[in-house]
Amino acid sequence: GAVVSQHPSWVICKSGTSVKIECRSLDFQATTMFWYRQFPKQSLMLMATSNEGSKATYEQGVEKDKFLINHASLTLSTLTVTSAHPEDSSFYICSAAWWGNTEQETQYFGPGTRLLVL
Amino acid sequence: AQKVTQAQTEISVVEKEDVTLDCVYETRDTTYYLFWYKQPPSGELVFLIRRNSFDEQNEISGRYSWNFQKSTSSFNFTITASQVVDSAVYFCALSLYNNNDMRFGAGTRLTVKP
């Protein structure tokens, strides 16, 4: 159980275009989803936290207008990188968690999406 | 604010050696959770263990063992009889009770040579 998927796994786009990344919890309802960014050989940095049906909470320094997050259902959150630039190239990872049982304190991670902006 | 320090950037061992990955954390909260994740070259984070702050009991799972010591704010991870498949980046992480603020250490890249 506790499987999280991401789509696409790889995306290459031209500078100035927008890219949407989907994160789905496959076998549980995620009350909270998280988006992380990881640059090569670096650690994961939390970008934002989203609760179903409410606006995402962004970490300091993360542009909310550039990284649009939608958490419309308990099994789906999307991250849209708007007007992507080469410096946005990174590995984006989502995670999901749910309340209500002893596993609530654990975030389960998706496989990640590698974004390359040319 | 929470902070996790993994001082070992890279470790290289030969297969069958034991290896310990260090993790030191900082938090002012009394209720928190500590985690270890494995990130193989594919990039996917693999959950290894979660430990809450009230449970200092050490844990063993096969070749993996964890030593949690609140007195030194450490949560070290030992792999016994390492194997090539253990080669990966290992992250230690800490989150507060409400799970809304998870901080990762910088990671330790483990290379196990045949």
Side-chain angles (χ1 to χ4, degrees):
Chain A
V3 178
V4 177
S5 70
Q6 275 184 248
H7 178 79
S9 55
W10 258 105
V11 59
I12 301 174
C13 69
K14 293 182 179 180
S15 184
T17 60
S18 293
V19 175
K20 179 185 283 188
I21 303 170
E22 292 186 349
C23 176
R24 294 182 184 271
S25 55
L26 299 183
D27 52 1
F28 64 97
Q29 293 186 323
T31 52
T32 306
M33 286 187 169
F34 306 83
W35 287 96
Y36 294 83
R37 180 166 54 182
Q38 186 182 28
F39 291 108
K41 296 191 176 183
Q42 294 189 23
S43 188
L44 282 76
M45 298 300 294
L46 179 65
M47 298 175 65
T49 303
S50 73
N51 293 298
E52 185 265 340
S54 61
K55 291 184 178 180
T57 301
Y58 291 81
E59 293 297 300
Q60 193 171 10
V62 178
E63 300 175 58
K64 61 179 67 177
D65 293 331
K66 181 168 187 61
F67 299 99
L68 302 179
I69 293 173
N70 182 280
H71 192 167
S73 77
L74 287 172
T75 60
L76 173 64
S77 176
T78 61
L79 166 68
T80 301
V81 183
T82 62
S83 186
H85 292 285
E87 58 265 30
D88 298 323
S89 299
S90 187
F91 188 50
Y92 292 87
I93 308 173
C94 75
S95 71
W98 78 98
W99 302 101
N101 61 40
T102 57
E103 297 302 313
Q104 68 187 35
E105 303 87 4
T106 300
Q107 292 184 29
Y108 292 92
F109 287 82
T113 297
R114 296 190 187 278
L115 170 63
L116 177 60
V117 184
L118 302 177
Chain B
Q2 298 78 247
K3 184 179 179 182
V4 178
T5 301
Q6 293 179 257
Q8 304 151 307
T9 305
E10 295 190 29
I11 300 176
S12 180
V13 299
V14 177
E15 208 170 17
K16 297 185 182 179
E17 286 185 20
D18 298 347
V19 58
T20 296
L21 310 181
D22 298 333
C23 173
V24 175
Y25 63 92
E26 297 176 29
T27 180
R28 292 183 179 180
D29 285 65
T30 56
T31 305
Y32 52 88
Y33 297 93
L34 295 165
F35 303 82
W36 275 95
Y37 288 91
K38 174 182 180 180
Q39 187 177 43
S42 62
E44 182 169 0
L45 280 171
V46 177
F47 167 77
L48 296 178
I49 190 171
R50 181 196 77 217
R51 173 67 68 219
N52 74 55
S53 53
F54 298 112
D55 183 4
E56 282 194 74
Q57 196 169 18
N58 293 328
E59 182 155 339
I60 298 175
S61 176
R63 297 184 297 107
Y64 296 168
S65 62
W66 291 269
N67 183 291
F68 177 26
Q69 292 194 345
K70 291 180 72 172
S71 60
T72 56
S73 298
S74 64
F75 187 43
N76 296 338
F77 172 33
T78 298
I79 301 175
T80 302
S82 60
Q83 300 176 1
V84 174
V85 293
D86 296 327
S87 298
V89 179
Y90 290 86
F91 289 99
C92 180
L94 178 149
S95 73
L96 301 182
Y97 179 69
N98 64 7
N99 204 28
N100 281 338
D101 193 1
M102 191 167 192
R103 302 293 167 173
F104 284 81
T108 297
R109 182 175 300 275
L110 173 65
T111 301
V112 181
K113 300 178 180 178

